[in-house]
DNA sequence: CAAATATACAACCGGATGGTTGTACGTTAT
DNA sequence: ATAACGTACAACCATCCGGTTGTATATTTG
């Protein structure tokens, strides 16, 4: 019920997730906040960069859905979100399955699409253009 | 002689992997080449961008270790590399484990580090600066 | 209230990215 | 040998990214 971001913009969402994970500082933030809620200040103190920089990293993680920020007084408690992590996990698992030659239909589960592809293709397909008949 | 990229520069390698995966076109290339070898031209024909652009995407994937290029006459056959994919998978699995509260020691397996951290910290730790005692 | 703290946000900058076009080179085919 | 094909690579451009500093706002604390 609550989720409305599962139908058309999967690609963009996945882009953000992986891009957010493509930075050592951000991975470290995820790592930490998965086990405990930490304020942005506390996080910032752990890295050799400005507070604003860490703030930006948290923001990137947040807009990717990898962390949530809950306010507690004047502080913002950052908490890792395992659900989003699991989404990336599923995608990679899917690639693994695909490689093994058995795709099944778990891609439908992954993308939330109810058997959208009549081609039997995997979730996503070509991002922009499916296949020009003949140029 | 063989591999020298397993000890100190893990972070950078992971960066490249996730960054490479943070693009829908590149994910699609990985997806395709996991099940069959395809030439760069054939790949390029599938997307609405120039040949050179696709070439660059393949290059990014290759330098991340996500695909290999084998030459066959004048063509280059692109083949997905499930090993690298599995590396990313392991990292995410590790986060999942961490979230569940049981870290075990599989991080040593992941990073190849023989119990490098006396702190019991997870693989990687803060990328640049561990923890300033108190500035 | 005032001062200190924690955060938010805008502006700016150098470098990386993703795309283009053009050219050169090796390989097949005629 | 020449032409066509597949690829590589350089140059260029707009945009994004990761970092900085500076300023503003809300919340505690004295």
């Amino acid at each position: 019920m609550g989720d409305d971001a599962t139908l058309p913009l999967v690609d963009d969402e996945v882009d953000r997730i992986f891009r957010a994970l493509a930075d050592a500082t951000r991975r470290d933030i995820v790592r930490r906040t998965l086990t405990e809620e930490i304020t942005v200040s506390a996080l910032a103190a752990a890295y050799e960069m400005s507070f604003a920089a860490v703030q930006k990293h948290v923001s990137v993680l947040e807009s990717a859905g990898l962390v949530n920020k809950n306010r507690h007084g004047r502080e913002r408690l950052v908490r890792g979100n395992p659900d989003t992590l699991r989404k990336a996990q599923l995608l990679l698992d899917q690639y693994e399955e695909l490689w093994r030659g058995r795709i099944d239909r778990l891609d439908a589960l992954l993308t939330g699409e109810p058997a959208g592809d009549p081609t039997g293709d995997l979730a996503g397909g070509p991002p922009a253009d499916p296949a020009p008949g003949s140029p």
Side-chain angles (χ1 to χ4, degrees), chain A residues 21-96:
Chain A
L21 289 172
D23 180 285
T25 302
R26 287 197 290 258
R27 282 194 302 274
D28 196 64
I29 292 177
V30 167
R31 194 176 59 72
R32 290 180 186 230
T33 57
L34 272 176
T35 50
E36 51 174 347
E37 279 193 331
I38 320 181
T39 68
V40 183
S41 304
L43 279 173
Y47 309 104
E48 267 204 334
M49 62 185 75
S50 71
F51 174 81
V54 175
Q55 215 176 7
K56 276 195 189 180
H57 281 307
V58 172
S59 170
V60 168
L61 288 169
E62 190 182 20
S63 74
L66 282 165
V67 305
N68 299 30
K69 270 192 296 185
N70 317 318
R71 72 170 301 156
H72 185 79
R74 62 181 163 188
E75 312 176 319
R76 294 293 193 278
L77 295 176
V78 183
R79 154 110 63 178
N81 181 0
D83 275 357
T84 304
L85 228 14
R86 212 164 293 134
K87 200 173 288 188
Q89 242 178 321
L90 279 179
L91 231 193
L92 295 186
D93 286 351
Q94 190 186 16
Y95 287 150
E96 168 93 20

